[in-house]
């Protein structure tokens, strides 16, 4: 039985006082019965680490450079994330792919850089609405995952995968549990062909997860938790989603 994982992706939201309140509410609502983490903007990593140290809550970043160090203005390396106690780094989020032109190989290189420093990459895959309507969902997510599997090679079993259909992100239009499970099953089969650890690996669902739809999504056999955007900014909603996974 895989233990569920719920990760809040704060995206570019927050402020020091708002974060302090949110983090203290999350700490105060333990235990959850599942693993819980928040992926925060880089400048807030330090205070997030202070707020969560001593609890079983984890934290991470929303991106990670593919490079170890050097003249890469604006980038943050996996080694730096490790220094701040990051357990996770989201890589390949559709907003990075869309707004920063990140391609499959760059995403794979970022995942490898994270793992190299002991930071677990949460690798996001997912199709756009046009790709779904064209019947290309399977081909798109397979291609995205395959680049990471090949690059990580024998370490592929150490990543977390997140299926986030782009059309469901921030739209209030959630994939049905059946739609999500169908893609998760494909991803699991692809992982099974690549690594003996596939049956233990976590595949999260992300895209308009809310307290009222979380339990049915999480009850699907290959859905091992969620990557939560908007609802992770409201303590009561995020806590309710974590409870639905526990
Ligand atoms: P929403 O939960 O706001 O749809 O965002 C999902 C997401 O992109 C998480 O990474």
């Amino acid at each position: 039985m895989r233990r569920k994982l719920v990760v809040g992706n704060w995206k570019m939201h927050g402020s020091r006082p708002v974060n302090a309140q949110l983090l203290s509410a999350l700490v105060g609502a333990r235990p959850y019965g599942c693993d819980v983490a928040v992926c925060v903007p880089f400048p807030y990593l330090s205070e997030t680490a202070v707020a969560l140290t001593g609890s079983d809550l984890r934290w991470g970043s929303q991106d990670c450079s593919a490079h170890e160090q050097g003249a890469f203005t604006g980038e943050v390396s996996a080694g730096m994330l490790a220094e701040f106690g990051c357990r996770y780094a989201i890589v390949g989020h559709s907003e990075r792919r869309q707004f920063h032109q990140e391609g499959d190989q760059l995403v794979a290189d970022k995942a490898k850089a994270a793992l190299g420093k002991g930071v677990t990459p949460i690798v996001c895959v997912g199709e756009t609405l046009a790709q779904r309507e064209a019947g290309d969902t399977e081909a798109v997510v397979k291609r995205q995952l395959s680049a990471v599997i090949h690059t990580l090679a024998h370490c592929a079993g150490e990543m977390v995968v997140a299926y986030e259909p782009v059309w469901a992100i921030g739209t209030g239009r959630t994939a049905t549990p059946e739609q999500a499970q169908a893609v998760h099953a494909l991803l699991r089969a692809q992982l099974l062909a690549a690594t003996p650890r596939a049956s233990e690996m976590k595949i999260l669902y992300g895209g308009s997860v809310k307290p009222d739809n979380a339990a049915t999504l999480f009850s699907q056999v290959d859905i091992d938790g969620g990557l939560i955007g908007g609802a992770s900014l409201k303590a009561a909603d995020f806590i309710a989603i974590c409870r639905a996974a526990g």
Side-chain angles (χ1 to χ4, degrees):
M1 180 76 182
R2 292 179 293 268
R3 186 173 164 85
K4 293 223 177 343
L5 168 65
V6 177
V7 180
N9 173 9
W10 288 4
K11 309 195 178 184
M12 199 171 72
H13 292 288
S15 69
R16 301 183 79 180
V18 166
N19 303 345
Q21 273 198 338
L22 177 52
L23 292 170
S24 105
L26 300 186
V27 169
R30 290 170 304 137
Y32 291 106
C34 66
D35 292 333
V36 176
V38 288
C39 288
V40 307
F42 293 125
Y44 299 139
L45 281 173
S46 176
E47 60 209 54
T48 301
V50 170
L52 300 186
T53 294
S55 79
D56 56 354
L57 304 184
R58 309 284 181 198
W59 58 94
S61 66
Q62 301 168 14
D63 189 24
C64 162
S65 177
H67 305 283
E68 246 183 66
Q69 62 169 1
F72 301 104
T73 301
E75 296 214 31
V76 175
S77 73
M80 296 171 187
L81 299 177
E83 276 192 295
F84 283 87
C86 285
R87 172 67 172 269
Y88 298 105
I90 297 172
V91 297
H93 192 281
S94 62
E95 288 149 17
R96 303 279 330 161
R97 293 180 190 262
Q98 188 182 347
F99 304 131
H100 300 270
Q101 288 73 45
E102 294 194 5
D104 296 335
Q105 190 54 51
L106 177 62
V107 171
D109 292 340
K110 289 182 170 200
K112 186 172 180 180
L115 265 188
K117 298 293 177 186
V119 177
T120 300
I122 300 176
V123 178
C124 300
V125 300
E127 80 288 2
T128 63
L129 186 58
Q131 289 166 332
R132 174 162 281 263
E133 285 174 347
D136 290 338
T137 299
E138 177 170 354
V140 168
V141 299
K142 275 194 167 170
R143 189 202 71 221
Q144 291 172 333
L145 186 59
S146 147
V148 188
I149 287 174
H150 284 109
T151 299
L152 297 186
H154 65 281
C155 297
E158 290 171 38
M159 71 176 142
V160 170
V161 176
Y163 170 56
E164 296 208 314
V166 179
W167 48 272
I169 294 177
T171 58
R173 186 177 164 190
T174 323
T176 64
E178 295 73 26
Q179 280 174 322
Q181 166 57 29
V183 177
H184 281 233
L186 287 173
L187 296 171
R188 180 89 57 202
Q190 191 178 354
L191 292 168
L192 275 167
T195 165
R197 295 186 51 189
S199 56
E200 303 153 32
M201 290 176 68
K202 295 190 207 301
I203 309 178
L204 312 182
Y205 169 78
S208 297
V209 178
K210 305 288 177 214
D212 61 357
N213 61 25
T216 24
L217 284 162
F218 297 163
S219 68
Q220 302 298 306
V221 62
D222 288 299
I223 301 185
D224 306 312
L227 184 54
I228 319 299
S232 74
L233 301 171
K234 295 181 201 134
D237 285 3
F238 190 60
I239 290 165
I241 292 168
C242 294
R243 297 240 187 279

